[in-house]
Each structure stands twice: as structure tokens, then as C-alpha cells.
Amino acid sequence: MNPAMNIAIAGFHIESVSFLPVVSTYADFEQGCQRGTDIVTALRGTNTVIGGFIEVCEQEGARMLPILNAYRGALGPASDEAIERYADEIATALRAERGKLDGVLLHLHGASWAPSYLDPEHHIIDTVRAAIGPDLPLVVAFDYHGNLDARTLQNLDAAFAYQQSPHTDMGDTGRRAACCLVRTLRGEIRPSMAIAKPGVLVPSIFSATALPCLAGILAQARELERAEAGYMDISVMAGFSYADAPNTGFAVLCVTDAAPERARQVAEQLSARIHAQRRELYHALQVLNVKQAVDYVLAHPAGKPYVLLEHADRMNDSTYVLAELLARHVESAAVPFVMDPQAAQRAAEIGAGRTGPLELGGWTSERAGPRLTVEARVLQAGPMQFRVSGRMNHGMPVDLGPSALLQIGGVSVSVTSNYVFGVDEDPFRIFGLKSSDFDIIVLRSKTHFRHHYEPLAQEILIVDTPDYGPADLTTLPYRHADRQAYPFCDHPS
């Protein structure tokens, strides 16, 4: 009987809008950081990358060393201290097991950003490699919106990324990465890897993988995988254009079995297609301003909800659409998951069943819109926790912190202390509501809402605002991004 494999698992995840002034500190990460067996307890059976790691390890009878999982979602920059302390903690744990471990699995976003670390994943990977030595296999699973280049990956054996946005395949990605590591340890494959950069950036709103242009590129990637006689895994990554770094933008990552030249050919082939279709990728959907969107909805009543997507809001506190709805005295509208700890505290002070004034939204940056003073009826107030019921991150525990459900005129607003996307039915379900009961729903997601809301909505209207996630990337104050990339510079095909 073969001895059990010993596999270390760790994760560090934040998608950073580098332009935002709100920094996620080490203390912020620590509020939700899991360590040791708590990681397995919390994430076993969930549609998460680490859930996929756990599933494969348990199926293969591997012994897991779960170190830490520091997860903050999509926010602003991380602090230098957070990057350094988590990288060092992972490395320290690995050094303590050196000589006992067979391999390492990491979950990293790929678009983290910190003032002294334009590519924090590169720092974490190199720190881990220094701890485990040159020979131990190290495999990483990244987000589809990660910004990667050859330098990021130079100390890895293999890397994988989500193939879908909405990210309904997070568990699958964890399984792809873990299976590659297991097969490597068994001597069945010897991974080789290549990455190609087409020099294209797109707004996140245009990165949904069901959009025709991207869908065709991804279909070609799947066809290439199926046609390959041996092992091949292709990750087409849209990148994250709001993290200002030299490697920001699309990438194609290909992993093969001991065929580095073939990996390079495939990565460059798909990269060339992305560059050739750059204009189509960048202008994939119609974008409206706030007044145009609200005018349209009010002129076109329907039996199903309209979704107004305030996509440029990166911190869930923008007030542009909410202010317009209140000014128009709109009835039957919902604005879920506004992140505002002060408003949540004030709602608790007012008390459930009572009405009082409070300030709402527009606090994270100068681009987040006006801070509104409203008269709100508090319907519910108190701490809120739940497990995700939707497909993306299914089963993952979420702590909203002190939260409240408010009624402001004809608009229902849920307020949270912690950041979380509203992408499924949970923002309504946890307060005893139904999304289908509203005529207008305001969401702040980019692509992830589509899996749940496309079938539910009468129509989805993309609303552009002056926040730090606009549809026109050329309006942002980049300092580090490649100015020779599209849309900054339009090279011929």
C-alpha cells in the first residue's frame, strides 16, 4: 500500500481596486481568517477553490495540512503588513513541515495590490518556494480576474484559473489544481506551463464568459483541450483592470504534460485571437447613465423586475441610483447590501419598528456619490450571518456583521457592516423577502449576478457612474499599467 500523500493548503484572496482609499489591513483580514482544521470544517462540501482542494485530498486519502485562509473578496488595496505577515505565516508553517510534505496547494486571487507590492501573488509564491525548496511541487488556483505574467508564475509547477464568470466553477478549479498535483506526485504527469499576454484590458462588466465574443474564445479553448492527445488545461483570464499594475489585463495560461513548446503555442494562439477581437471585447454591452436608466424603467412597466446594475461601484456604498430613485419617489424598488457600518449602527439605535433619520452611503471615496440623509423605517436590525445558497461560493459562510433592513419611501434598503456581493437570492432571502416582489432591483455586481438574475429579470440595464470601476478605463489615473495595451494604445492586429 502506498503511503498517504501529505499536502499543505493555504489561501490569500482579495481583489484590489488600487485607486480606492480604503485599505484592508491585517486586522481586517483577521476578522474572517480561518486556520487549521477550521478551514476544512468551514469549506468542506462548498463550491469554493479550497472546497475543491479538500474534496480531492479526501478522495485520494491524502493527509492535509491546512494552514490559513485569509479571504476578503473584492475591495480596495491590501496593506503591506497583510501581504507580508500572511506570506511569512504560510512559509513558517511549511518550514516546520519540511521533509514531511509532498506538495502544496495555494488559492490566490491574482489581482491583489498593496502600496509596496504591485504583484503580491508573486511575493507570496516566491516566499513559499523559498520555504519548501526547489523540488516540492507547488500548484496554485487563481481567479479568472487575476493579473498574471511569467514573473508571477516562475516558481510554480502549475497554475489554473476559473473558466467561468459568473464564477460557478470555483470548486471545479480547486479540483483541477488538486488533481494535477496528485497526478504529479504519482508520477503520471510532469506539468509544463506557458503564459501569453495579448495586451488587452477590459472593464469587468464586459468579462462575463457568456458574452458572444468571450464565449467563442472559451469554446475554442475547450476544443483545443479535447483535441489534445495528452494532458492539457487552458485558463483564459480576463484580468482585473482596476488593479493598477504592469501585468494588468488578459492572459492565457496553458498547462501540459511535459510539452512546454505545445503549451506556448496554444497560449499564443488564443492570445492572438483576444488581441484581434479587442474592440469587440471592450464594447460588448450598452451602457446608460443614471437618468437614462431610470427614465427607461419608469416608461416601460413590466411584470418582472428590472435590474439596474450600478457596476462602477466597487465598495457597495455608491448612492447615485438610490438618490435618483428617491428623488423620483419610485415605489417597489430594492437596493440590497449597501455596506455602511455607521448606518447599520444608527439603525440599531433607532430600533426595529421605529422611524428616524440616518446618513447612508457615499463614504468610501470621493467618487461614491453624496452621503444621503434619509428618514428610514427600521424593519430589522442586528448581527447577520448565513451560508451562501446560490451556486457561486455555495455553502460558504458569510458574516455581514451588524446589519439592518430599512424602508425609505418606496425603496427597501439592506445595510451591512461587512462587504459582500449581492449576486443571488440571499440578499432578499435572509431578510424574509423575495426579489421577484420588487419592480426595480439595484445591484453592484459585475458579472456574477447573471447566473441568478438573467432568468428572473425583465431586463438588465448597465448603469455607469463616476466610481472607480467605470466602463471607460481611460478615465482612471493609472500609474503602472502598460500604456501600450488596449484601450490606451491601439496597435494593429
Side-chain angles (χ1 to χ4, degrees), residues 3 86 123 149 195-196 201 239 299 367 375 441 459 490:
Y86 285 119
H123 172 74
D149 58 20
I195 187 170
L201 284 71
R367 292 196 182 192
E375 192 75 11
I441 299 170
E459 197 168 345
D490 191 8

Side-chain angles (χ1 to χ4, degrees), residues 362-375:
W363 65 276
T364 61
S365 80
E366 77 285 357
R367 292 196 182 192
R371 188 151 177 81
L372 304 179
T373 299
V374 298
E375 192 75 11

